[in-house]
Amino acid sequence: MELKLHKPICFFDLETTGTDVTKDRIVEISILKIFPNGNKESKTWLVNPEREIPSRATEVHGITNERVANEPTFTQLAPQVYQMIKDADLAGFNSDRFDIPMLVEELLRAGMDFDLKNTVSVDVQTIFHKMEERTLSAAYQFYCGKKLENAHSAAADTEATYEILKAQIERYDLENDIKKLSQFTTRNKSVDFAGFVIVDEKTNKETINFGKYKGKSVEDILEQDPGYYGWIQSADFPLYTKKVFTSIKLRKLNTKM
């Protein structure tokens, strides 16, 4: 069984220096691009994060400072990564909550104004958690009957995630349609990927999802508390979150003109 695609989809996985989207950096990225005609393209890059890789991160993925010392930085690789994903939907394991926010953040740091307005994403972990509640290795064994060798190798994890999604579609008789799978795997309709801004189901407005204004419309807060926008821009939020606030602020100003 193959995925029914109307456009390419990129399964991807990141290994990083840690889990903080604003502070940590990518040390390995693997992308498996599947085309509607069934053709595949695969690329894996080691990345020099331009900082120390903590020992606790190395213990997870096995990538050391010495191993990436002479590898290109993400800024150097960004044009190749962008070229591969720009026309595709995205999929991964825990990708909606971590990999996509991290990737978008790195692209913005590299000066690439990447936007996912015309892209949908499928988080294979969400399907698994909704149905079985397990880890990637267990998912691979459960759905594909295989042992995941080289777990936490980006390439191995990416290939396994692709195989798991196809097996999930068959096992649960899910509709073989990327947009429908994206809807099924979406927890909250996040506007900024990191989940600081979500779409309220009742009002369909961008809504703040943290802090003292949680549950309030972004537009209303920017009007009621003019200093809030400045605080967002100067605080330690992801670059994409700041971009979202700027977009809403500019849209609000344009409607008044």
Side-chain angles (χ1 to χ4, degrees), residues 20-79:
D20 189 321
V21 171
T22 60
K23 297 178 181 178
D24 285 303
R25 299 293 185 268
I26 295 171
V27 297
E28 185 180 32
I29 177 171
S30 185
I31 303 174
L32 173 64
K33 189 171 186 177
I34 313 297
F35 294 87
N37 63 4
N39 288 346
K40 300 177 185 178
E41 179 185 352
S42 180
K43 293 281 183 68
T44 299
W45 298 274
L46 283 171
V47 184
N48 184 340
E50 300 182 279
R51 63 183 58 202
E52 284 289 307
I53 302 174
S55 58
R56 63 182 181 277
T58 298
E59 288 172 3
V60 173
H61 50 56
I63 300 172
T64 63
N65 292 296
E66 294 74 21
R67 188 176 169 192
V68 297
N70 297 316
E71 298 295 337
T73 65
F74 189 86
T75 297
Q76 293 170 320
L77 289 172

